[in-house]
Amino acid sequence: MNIFESFLAAKLFRLSMPMQNFQPDFNRIWMVSSVNRSIPADQKSDIVMYSGCFMVGANTSLSPFSISFSLRNGLRKASLSQFAYHDGRPEIRIRAFLSVLDFLESTGELPLGTVAEHKARISGPSRSRQEACDGYHDFCQRAAKDLPYELSLEALRLAA
């Protein structure tokens, strides 16, 4: 896995441990993902849906997710209602949602500022949503430290 995939895995695993006593060996984990676009794949177009999961070996899939986007004011936007994740706890869903958006922003699928914009949109008047959004940066710092040392240093730089 590249650093972006590894960092996403670390975040999603930290949010809701996928298996009891799970100690991730990032050398044995790989990501399976799919991008759907608004026009055929041979032409670069806007993302419509992104989904994926992580595999341990050949038979165990962990932390499945899916997010879809709608075009609003010329930009691709998502909402929590358009996000599927295996853990339904509100704080976990919000941080998983932001983690997937962060991954897509870091890999160039979404424009810079997407995470900040979505954080502002979803936090709203709800205190628990606001706390989940406000704590996202610290959460990323902690998740980066779950990676092997070299990857951890690079992920900490990305999370800064």
Side-chain angles (χ1 to χ4, degrees):
M1 287 193 300
N2 65 37
I3 182 60
F4 304 111
E5 293 168 342
S6 296
F7 195 22
L8 177 60
K11 290 183 211 181
L12 296 182
F13 295 163
R14 176 169 272 275
L15 282 171
S16 48
M17 285 310 235
M19 298 184 307
Q20 192 173 21
N21 300 319
F22 180 62
Q23 296 293 322
D25 176 356
F26 287 91
N27 293 320
R28 292 188 55 228
I29 297 170
W30 51 286
M31 185 174 179
V32 175
S33 64
S34 175
V35 177
N36 296 79
R37 300 185 182 285
S38 57
I39 59 175
D42 60 332
Q43 302 174 31
K44 181 70 173 167
S45 66
D46 288 333
I47 189 170
V48 174
M49 188 172 82
Y50 183 75
S51 60
C53 69
F54 295 92
M55 298 295 296
V56 177
N59 299 316
T60 305
S61 63
L62 306 171
S63 298
F65 60 87
S66 178
I67 188 168
S68 60
F69 299 88
S70 299
L71 193 60
R72 295 185 193 130
N73 299 326
L75 299 172
R76 291 288 168 185
K77 308 264 193 217
S79 69
L80 282 174
S81 64
Q82 293 174 297
F83 179 65
Y85 188 61
H86 74 278
D87 193 323
R89 294 174 286 174
E91 179 182 330
I92 301 299
R93 279 183 51 78
I94 289 169
R95 290 194 176 157
F97 175 75
L98 294 174
S99 295
V100 173
L101 290 174
D102 204 356
F103 170 80
L104 293 171
E105 183 179 309
S106 296
T107 58
E109 284 290 348
L110 295 173
L112 293 176
T114 296
V115 173
E117 181 183 336
H118 280 78
K119 279 170 71 173
R121 282 183 47 236
I122 65 171
S123 60
S126 168
R127 182 177 172 93
S128 63
R129 282 184 171 207
Q130 185 67 48
E131 288 172 356
C133 289
D134 289 347
Y136 180 69
H137 178 72
D138 291 338
F139 158 75
C140 290
Q141 297 285 319
R142 290 189 306 274
K145 294 175 184 175
D146 292 341
L147 292 165
Y149 183 72
E150 293 296 324
L151 285 175
S152 179
L153 293 177
E154 195 168 345
L156 285 168
R157 183 186 57 76
L158 290 173

